[in-house]
């Protein structure tokens, strides 16, 4: 029994070879998509049998057995080729086509339609190099594409004509019904003559997973709408089951390239040129279940990279919602955060390929995105509001179909909710010993704020020092990793500033490798044009969580009171820590004064009087030293 080639391709694409082999062989993951186990075809004690999911084959280095999922079922279960195909097809709910005359006719028609798309691809390529395509070529060059890249991706141009491609294909003896069937022409309902679908657009040919051209995307030149136009659904092209550059990504993953999902054609091309040849993009739709399935065949945790704006964040949320019910052990997503106003293309052009590598290092797991979807911007300052958050989070987790993954998500989210429920263990309370008071600690402070000043007004009290300390970390984000533990232990009494401290600590999860101090210094000294990628991500995180205004005020206060060039040898870190110690001492002074006053009231002796006078003198001295700051 013969099966159409397209059917067998689809079957192999839907199968996970390690799942098929794993029913008969105990496999252990070696790295990425490669597994090893004892060969089922000969007796051995040391594993020499390997399975590679990405490449879709198994191989034994002991007995040289080699094959794919179909041949494995044939050899291990004694089935014929048709029986093995039908067995596997049932497992993935793929209908088995019958090789009837109609099926053969359909296969021939598909082949013919692919020839039509290939002819159109060549014609569009030619138009780009003619005078009629000059503004399209100028656009591509203006986006930084080289001649080699333009040819490699077979980019073209559709002239602004009603019958440009129609006329060209007719001259190749292609019937008009075939031109309409592949989506190159539109047939009006009133039976007027068909006209070109793509007009006045740069053309991006779209290939299937085997590299055969099946459809097109077009970007309009000028201000026309829609900005991007894709081929319609055709016998060759199903938007929800394919990805732009999927054929290239399938090759790239065999070389351990990361799979990155971007939003647009130009983003994908820019990533490929920068060396990230596993980049793909959806085709004019939000990420579909079929596309997620294709991605998980390439990588266990593909990276989703959306533009750094509100639309990009909405796209990330939609992708997370679509993925949740489909999660299973080992299969998830990671999300890349880009600064506002950036996309992969613009980021590469402004900062180079290293910026993408850093963004990959900063990738966040799907669980973080799910948590933010339900909690970002929502208050949790009362039991009722925390209960509402818990209900929303648990309803979202309930969407996960896989019971094991759902259970782990539920545990993770409950741990996060419990941390939200606990009071801040680091916050100072009356009577509590300050965490930084140590014998012999130096008293000098960068801003020398006194305890007397603390009682003289709302902006002259300890919140001023708290604000300056937090602002210093916002102004110099490279310090945030170094001082994370100090920040967590800082005694902050002002509730708004305590929220800002929590926001900064949350931002640490976005920058696990810290900020380059050299880049931080260059920006502060005016020798770099803009803040580092990590610093911008921290700033945007604070804005998204409603802390932007508070952060800006804290940053301004830090610049008033902290010296730009600390004279001490331990630099800015030492300067910040001395200020933190002073704040800790400051919070203790009212209690010290109160105890001295109570002691004097109980016993009006000379010693208690001198002790009280010494405390008051020190507080006045510190107040004078603090000046108007």
């Amino acid at each position: 029994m013969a099966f159409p080639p397209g059917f067998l391709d689809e079957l192999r694409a839907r199968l996970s070879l390690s799942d098929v082999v794993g029913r008969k062989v105990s496999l252990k993951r070696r790295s990425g998509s490669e597994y090893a186990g004892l060969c089922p075809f000969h007796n051995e004690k040391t594993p020499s049998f390997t399975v590679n999911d990405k490449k879709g084959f198994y191989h034994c280095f002991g007995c040289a057995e080699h094959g794919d999922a179909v041949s494995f079922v044939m050899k291990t279960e004694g089935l014929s080729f048709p029986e093995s195909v039908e067995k596997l097809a049932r497992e993935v709910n793929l209908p088995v086509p019958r090789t009837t005359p109609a099926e053969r006719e359909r296969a021939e028609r598909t082949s013919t339609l692919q020839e039509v798309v290939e002819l159109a691809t060549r014609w569009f390529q030619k138009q780009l190099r003619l005078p009629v395509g000059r503004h399209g070529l100028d656009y591509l060059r203006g986006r930084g594409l080289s001649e080699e890249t333009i040819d490699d991706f077979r980019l073209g141009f559709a002239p602004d004509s009603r019958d440009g491609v129609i006329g060209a294909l007719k001259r190749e003896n292609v019937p008009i019904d075939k031109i309409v069937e592949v989506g190159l022409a539109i047939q009006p309902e009133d039976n007027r003559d068909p006209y070109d679908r793509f007009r006045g657009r740069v053309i991006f040919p779209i290939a299937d997973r085997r590299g055969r051209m099946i459809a097109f995307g077009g970007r309009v030149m000028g201000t026309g709408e829609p900005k991007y136009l894709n081929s319609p659904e055709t016998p060759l092209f199903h938007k929800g089951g394919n990805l732009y550059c999927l054929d290239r990504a399938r090759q790239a993953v065999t070389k351990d390239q990361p799979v990155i999902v971007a939003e647009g054609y130009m983003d994908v091309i820019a990533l490929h040129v920068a060396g990230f040849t596993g980049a793909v993009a959806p085709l004019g739709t939000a990420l579909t279940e079929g596309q997620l399935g294709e991605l998980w065949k390439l990588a266990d945790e593909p990276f989703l990279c959306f533009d750094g704006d509100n639309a990009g964040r909405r796209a990330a949320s939609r992708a997370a919602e679509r993925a949740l019910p489909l999660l299973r052990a080992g299969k998830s997503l990671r999300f890349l955060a880009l600064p506002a106003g950036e996309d992969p293309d613009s980021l590469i052009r402004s900062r180079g390929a290293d910026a993408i590598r850093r963004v990959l290092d900063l990738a966040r797991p799907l669980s973080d995105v799910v948590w933010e979807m339900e909690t970002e911007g929502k208050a949790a300052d009362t039991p009722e509001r925390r209960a509402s958050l818990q209900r929303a989070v648990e309803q979202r987790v309930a969407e996960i179909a896989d019971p094991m993954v759902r259970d782990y998500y539920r545990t993770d989210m409950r741990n996060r909710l419990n941390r939200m429920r606990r009071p801040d263990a680091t916050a100072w309370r009356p009577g509590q010993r300050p965490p930084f008071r140590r014998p012999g600690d130096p008293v000098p402070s960068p801003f020398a704020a006194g305890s007397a000043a603390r009682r003289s007004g709302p902006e002259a009290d300890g919140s001023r020092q708290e604000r300056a300390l937090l602002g210093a970390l916002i102004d110099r984000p490279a310090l945030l990793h170094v001082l994370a533990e100090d920040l967590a232990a800082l005694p902050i009494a002002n509730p708004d500033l305590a929220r800002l401290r929590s926001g900064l600590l949350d931002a640490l999860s976005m920058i696990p490798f810290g900020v380059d101090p050299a880049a931080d210094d260059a920006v502060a000294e005016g020798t770099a044009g803009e803040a580092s990628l990590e610093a911008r991500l921290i700033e945007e995180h604070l804005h998204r969580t409603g802390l932007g205004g508070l952060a800006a005020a804290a940053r301004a206060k830090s610049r008033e009171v902290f010296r730009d060039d600390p004279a001490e040898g331990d630099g800015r870190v030492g300067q910040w820590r001395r200020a933190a110690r002073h704040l800790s001492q400051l919070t203790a002074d009212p209690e010290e004064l109160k105890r001295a006053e109570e002691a004097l009231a109980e016993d009006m002796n000379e010693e208690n009087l001198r002790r009280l006078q010494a405390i008051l003198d020190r507080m006045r001295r510190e107040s004078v030293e603090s000046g108007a700051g």
Side-chain angles (χ1 to χ4, degrees), residues 10-266:
E10 179 65 20
L11 176 61
R12 292 186 180 99
R14 291 194 185 189
L15 289 169
S16 168
L17 181 58
S18 61
D19 287 346
V20 175
V21 175
R23 301 169 196 159
K24 305 285 185 181
V25 180
S26 178
L27 296 175
K28 292 185 178 180
R29 188 190 296 271
R30 276 183 172 170
S31 64
S33 61
E34 190 169 290
Y35 300 78
L38 296 175
C39 180
F41 303 116
H42 80 286
N43 293 325
E44 62 176 8
K45 295 182 179 179
T46 302
S48 60
F49 183 79
T50 63
V51 174
N52 193 304
D53 266 338
K54 289 180 182 177
K55 297 178 181 178
F57 66 76
Y58 61 83
H59 182 82
C60 179
F61 292 93
C63 66
E65 282 287 348
H66 182 95
D68 62 4
V70 177
S71 63
F72 185 84
V73 172
M74 290 174 63
K75 293 173 182 177
T76 58
E77 300 186 24
L79 301 178
S80 66
F81 178 77
E83 290 170 336
S84 299
V85 169
E86 291 184 357
K87 173 183 172 65
L88 292 171
R90 285 195 299 271
E91 291 176 359
V92 295
N93 296 318
L94 181 65
V96 179
R98 302 300 173 186
T99 52
T100 63
E103 290 295 337
R104 287 193 292 272
E105 181 181 347
R106 187 177 297 114
E108 291 173 1
R109 187 181 72 175
T110 296
S111 178
T112 300
L113 294 178
Q114 286 171 343
E115 292 173 5
V116 173
V117 176
E118 177 60 32
L119 287 171
T121 301
R122 295 174 188 172
W123 187 79
F124 287 136
Q125 283 184 276
K126 184 177 180 181
Q127 303 312 299
L128 184 67
R129 302 294 181 175
L130 296 177
V132 71
R134 183 57 183 268
H135 52 309
L137 186 59
D138 288 344
Y139 165 78
L140 294 173
R141 288 171 174 167
R143 295 292 296 268
L145 300 191
S146 67
E147 302 300 317
E148 181 182 1
T149 299
I150 292 171
D151 291 340
D152 184 28
F153 286 86
R154 303 191 68 183
L155 306 183
F157 185 76
D160 193 5
S161 167
R162 285 185 58 86
D163 60 357
V165 74
I166 290 175
L169 293 176
K170 280 184 174 180
R171 289 191 291 274
E172 297 288 340
N173 298 317
V174 178
I176 187 62
D177 62 316
K178 300 296 182 188
I179 302 173
V180 172
E181 192 173 9
V182 297
L184 285 165
I186 296 174
Q187 175 67 65
E189 293 183 1
D190 59 6
N191 290 323
R192 285 179 294 131
D193 290 339
Y195 57 90
D196 286 357
R197 178 178 300 274
F198 299 100
R199 293 173 290 170
R201 294 176 181 269
V202 166
I203 296 295
F204 299 85
I206 300 168
D208 64 10
R209 62 170 60 89
R210 295 173 65 186
R212 300 170 298 190
M213 296 304 165
I214 57 173
F216 301 97
R219 188 199 190 282
V220 71
M221 294 290 95
T223 57
E225 291 293 337
K227 184 177 179 180
Y228 281 95
L229 178 67
N230 288 321
S231 293
E233 295 285 315
T234 73
L236 298 179
F237 179 53
H238 304 287
K239 294 180 183 179
N242 196 13
L243 294 155
Y244 183 58
C245 286
L246 175 60
D247 57 318
R248 294 170 181 256
R250 292 179 70 199
Q251 298 177 32
V253 295
T254 65
K255 302 173 184 176
D256 294 325
Q257 279 284 320
V259 175
I260 304 173
V261 183
E263 289 192 82
Y265 300 117
M266 289 301 300

Side-chain angles (χ1 to χ4, degrees), residues 139-445:
Y139 165 78
L140 294 173
R141 288 171 174 167
R143 295 292 296 268
L145 300 191
S146 67
E147 302 300 317
E148 181 182 1
T149 299
I150 292 171
D151 291 340
D152 184 28
F153 286 86
R154 303 191 68 183
L155 306 183
F157 185 76
D160 193 5
S161 167
R162 285 185 58 86
D163 60 357
V165 74
I166 290 175
L169 293 176
K170 280 184 174 180
R171 289 191 291 274
E172 297 288 340
N173 298 317
V174 178
I176 187 62
D177 62 316
K178 300 296 182 188
I179 302 173
V180 172
E181 192 173 9
V182 297
L184 285 165
I186 296 174
Q187 175 67 65
E189 293 183 1
D190 59 6
N191 290 323
R192 285 179 294 131
D193 290 339
Y195 57 90
D196 286 357
R197 178 178 300 274
F198 299 100
R199 293 173 290 170
R201 294 176 181 269
V202 166
I203 296 295
F204 299 85
I206 300 168
D208 64 10
R209 62 170 60 89
R210 295 173 65 186
R212 300 170 298 190
M213 296 304 165
I214 57 173
F216 301 97
R219 188 199 190 282
V220 71
M221 294 290 95
T223 57
E225 291 293 337
K227 184 177 179 180
Y228 281 95
L229 178 67
N230 288 321
S231 293
E233 295 285 315
T234 73
L236 298 179
F237 179 53
H238 304 287
K239 294 180 183 179
N242 196 13
L243 294 155
Y244 183 58
C245 286
L246 175 60
D247 57 318
R248 294 170 181 256
R250 292 179 70 199
Q251 298 177 32
V253 295
T254 65
K255 302 173 184 176
D256 294 325
Q257 279 284 320
V259 175
I260 304 173
V261 183
E263 289 192 82
Y265 300 117
M266 289 301 300
D267 291 327
V268 171
I269 293 174
L271 285 164
H272 277 253
V273 172
F276 302 95
T277 53
V280 296
L283 297 162
T285 65
L287 208 58
T288 67
E289 292 182 9
Q291 289 167 338
L292 283 168
E294 291 289 347
L295 291 169
W296 280 327
K297 291 167 194 169
L298 299 176
D300 288 343
E301 293 187 353
F303 297 91
L304 302 194
C305 184
F306 297 106
D307 294 355
D309 53 19
N310 289 332
R313 284 191 285 276
R314 287 194 297 270
S317 295
R318 287 195 299 270
E321 291 171 354
R322 183 64 58 88
L324 271 179
L326 309 175
L327 297 180
R328 60 185 191 273
K331 300 293 183 182
S332 188
L333 301 171
R334 295 187 72 80
F335 290 77
L336 306 183
L338 297 184
E342 297 278 18
D343 55 39
D345 181 29
S346 66
L347 191 61
I348 289 169
R349 283 192 284 160
S350 63
R351 299 181 182 236
D354 282 344
I356 298 297
R357 294 187 187 94
R358 289 164 64 197
V359 167
L360 289 170
D361 288 339
L362 302 176
R364 296 184 300 152
L366 175 59
S367 56
D368 280 4
V369 176
V370 172
W371 173 257
E372 286 186 1
M373 284 166 53
E374 301 304 330
T375 62
E376 189 170 348
K378 298 177 182 177
D381 53 346
T382 67
E384 296 84 358
R385 288 173 175 174
R386 287 194 290 272
S388 176
L389 284 180
Q390 179 169 344
R391 181 173 57 192
V393 169
E394 291 187 348
Q395 287 174 346
R396 182 68 72 185
V397 170
E399 297 173 10
I400 301 173
D402 186 286
M404 183 182 296
V405 176
R406 184 173 63 244
D407 185 58
Y408 275 106
Y409 259 78
R410 186 176 289 119
T411 299
D412 178 70
M413 295 298 161
R414 284 177 178 171
N415 287 339
R416 297 179 191 231
L417 288 163
N418 286 337
R419 288 195 295 272
M420 179 183 290
R421 190 179 297 144
R422 296 189 196 107
D424 184 359
T426 67
W428 175 81
R429 299 178 186 83
Q432 178 181 345
R433 181 175 177 175
F436 282 90
R437 190 71 179 258
R438 292 189 286 270
D441 274 352
V443 176
S445 163

Side-chain angles (χ1 to χ4, degrees), residues 354-584:
D354 282 344
I356 298 297
R357 294 187 187 94
R358 289 164 64 197
V359 167
L360 289 170
D361 288 339
L362 302 176
R364 296 184 300 152
L366 175 59
S367 56
D368 280 4
V369 176
V370 172
W371 173 257
E372 286 186 1
M373 284 166 53
E374 301 304 330
T375 62
E376 189 170 348
K378 298 177 182 177
D381 53 346
T382 67
E384 296 84 358
R385 288 173 175 174
R386 287 194 290 272
S388 176
L389 284 180
Q390 179 169 344
R391 181 173 57 192
V393 169
E394 291 187 348
Q395 287 174 346
R396 182 68 72 185
V397 170
E399 297 173 10
I400 301 173
D402 186 286
M404 183 182 296
V405 176
R406 184 173 63 244
D407 185 58
Y408 275 106
Y409 259 78
R410 186 176 289 119
T411 299
D412 178 70
M413 295 298 161
R414 284 177 178 171
N415 287 339
R416 297 179 191 231
L417 288 163
N418 286 337
R419 288 195 295 272
M420 179 183 290
R421 190 179 297 144
R422 296 189 196 107
D424 184 359
T426 67
W428 175 81
R429 299 178 186 83
Q432 178 181 345
R433 181 175 177 175
F436 282 90
R437 190 71 179 258
R438 292 189 286 270
D441 274 352
V443 176
S445 163
F447 43 67
S451 56
R454 186 178 191 275
R455 300 185 299 172
S456 64
E459 185 53 34
D461 67 5
S463 67
R464 178 188 57 189
Q465 289 87 326
E466 296 169 359
R467 184 174 284 107
L469 283 162
L470 296 175
L473 300 181
I474 298 168
D475 196 38
R476 297 273 185 168
L479 299 178
L480 188 55
H481 257 70
V482 178
L483 296 168
E485 292 186 9
D486 304 73
L487 174 62
L490 193 67
I492 295 182
N494 185 299
D496 289 334
L497 295 179
R499 285 197 308 117
L500 180 57
R501 186 252 302 277
S502 297
L504 278 170
L505 291 173
D506 288 343
L508 280 172
S509 65
M510 303 176 63
I511 51 167
F513 300 103
V515 179
D516 181 4
D520 219 12
D521 290 343
V523 172
E525 295 163 8
T527 58
E530 56 182 323
S532 67
L533 177 66
E534 293 86 349
R536 291 179 65 185
L537 292 175
I538 293 171
E539 183 179 351
E540 288 167 16
H541 171 75
L542 295 176
H543 276 284
R544 286 201 309 274
T545 52
L547 298 169
L550 202 59
R555 188 174 187 176
K557 175 57 67 177
S558 76
R559 290 180 174 180
E560 290 178 14
V561 300
F562 277 96
R563 293 191 292 273
D564 288 336
D565 185 18
E568 296 82 0
D570 50 1
R572 294 184 178 86
V573 171
Q575 186 182 31
W576 194 94
R577 282 178 170 152
R578 282 189 294 277
R581 282 198 297 270
H582 192 276
L583 177 62
S584 299

